[in-house]
Amino acid sequence: MKRSFGHALLDTYTCHVVAKRLQRYLDGEVDGATKLRVERHLETCRTCGIDVETYTRIKAALARGVTDVSHAEVKSQQVV
Amino acid sequence: MNAESVAPESDAQMFNRYVTPEIGVLLRVARTMTSSRSDAEDLVQETMLRAFRSIRGFDGEHARAWLLTIMRNANINRARRTPVADSLDEPELLLERTPSDPAVLAERSEFDEAVRHAADELPAPFRGVVALVDLDGLTYADAAAVLDVPIGTVMSRLHRGRRRIKQHLIERGLAPRKAART
Ligand SMILES: [Zn+2]
């Protein structure tokens, strides 16, 4: 269902649309209206919520790698 | 009127304004683009030198993307001088940053380990984008400048890379399986 609840100024996204926008949303690469629509969908959809949690944890785990740089072993692996 | 208040900035002032704040980001990205810390530092030095030389022609817009493009080109020159390197247009980007401190290693959760393992296993084009965006914290536009590819390519590689990482986690029971979509 693309439209729902009648009262909304913004269309409500379907799971399919949210899935397409989700990565950009998590990376802060969507405009305000898109952000709002994704968030509105996430308020009620557990399925997409699970995806958000998983991807957020993945991003956080990768970002933690950055702190290793300060005391990183110099890796002598050659670029092949 | 004070003539000095409207005097154009000196090269050094422009450098301090546009380049100096980006050094941390440049170092992180250089660490992703090169195989060792010393190579990364050399690359950033070369980038800063080139930036200083061309600062007059810089329009003040998108300093980070401008610097990343300079760095990308400097890295291509560097790779040409290094006989082991090839694939100049798509330099191998590294995720491996093994901490030497055992306490740091021990702190890492199974989840983090699985994520990093899966990321390291990604095909090079996916791994590169994941490294630039998730490790180095670049925007899509800046990652596109580093790789000299369209933003759409950055997005599709990033999404496919992350999906593979997620799949790896699901297979190891570290992430919930996808439920039916509504
Ligand atoms: Zn949903």
Side-chain angles (χ1 to χ4, degrees), chain B:
Chain B
M1 285 292 284
N2 181 356
E4 264 184 8
S5 66
V6 292
E9 282 185 302
S10 70
D11 288 5
Q13 281 170 326
M14 285 186 76
F15 189 87
N16 279 335
R17 176 127 77 109
Y18 296 114
V19 181
T20 307
E22 301 295 338
I23 289 174
V25 171
L26 292 179
L27 273 167
R28 285 209 302 279
V29 176
R31 194 66 186 83
T32 298
M33 293 169 88
T34 62
S35 54
S36 76
R37 190 191 293 181
S38 62
D39 282 354
E41 285 167 357
D42 288 351
L43 179 58
V44 171
Q45 284 227 320
E46 175 64 23
T47 302
M48 285 161 61
L49 188 68
R50 289 180 182 209
F52 189 77
R53 280 198 218 113
S54 53
I55 196 103
R56 278 286 125 210
F58 174 56
D59 61 7
E61 297 280 314
H62 309 296
R64 183 172 296 174
W66 174 66
L67 289 164
L68 290 169
T69 302
I70 292 175
M71 189 156 80
R72 176 180 176 276
N73 292 329
N75 190 45
I76 289 170
N77 288 154
R78 195 188 63 88
R80 286 207 180 103
R81 290 194 304 268
T82 315
V84 289
D86 66 353
S87 146
L88 300 178
D89 291 334
E90 292 277 334
E92 181 91 348
L93 300 177
L94 304 174
L95 276 157
E96 275 296 316
R97 292 170 196 186
T98 315
S100 50
D101 185 347
V104 174
L105 274 174
E107 255 175 39
R108 282 188 175 176
S109 68
E110 191 186 0
F111 184 90
D112 279 31
E113 279 304 318
V115 168
R116 294 177 64 79
H117 175 78
D120 286 337
E121 299 284 298
L122 290 175
F126 299 164
R127 192 172 64 239
V129 176
V130 168
L132 292 171
V133 174
D134 286 335
L135 264 89
D136 300 329
L138 295 190
T139 62
Y140 295 173
D142 289 342
V146 171
L147 296 167
D148 196 24
V149 297
I151 287 186
T153 305
V154 167
M155 286 196 272
S156 67
R157 288 181 186 177
L158 183 67
H159 302 179
R160 288 163 72 186
R162 285 181 182 159
R163 209 178 306 139
R164 286 186 189 217
I165 295 173
K166 188 179 97 165
Q167 198 52 42
H168 176 84
L169 294 169
I170 289 172
E171 281 160 15
R172 299 184 58 166
L174 291 165
R177 218 163 268 282
K178 184 180 286 185
R181 294 265 175 207
T182 52

Side-chain angles (χ1 to χ4, degrees), chain A residues 6 11 36 56 61 74 76 79:
Chain A
D11 292 345
L36 212 61
T56 303
V74 172
S76 58
V79 180

Side-chain angles (χ1 to χ4, degrees), chain A residues 14-15 41 45 47-48, chain B residues 181-182:
Chain A
T14 59
C15 291
H41 180 90
C45 181
T47 307
C48 291
Chain B
R181 294 265 175 207
T182 52

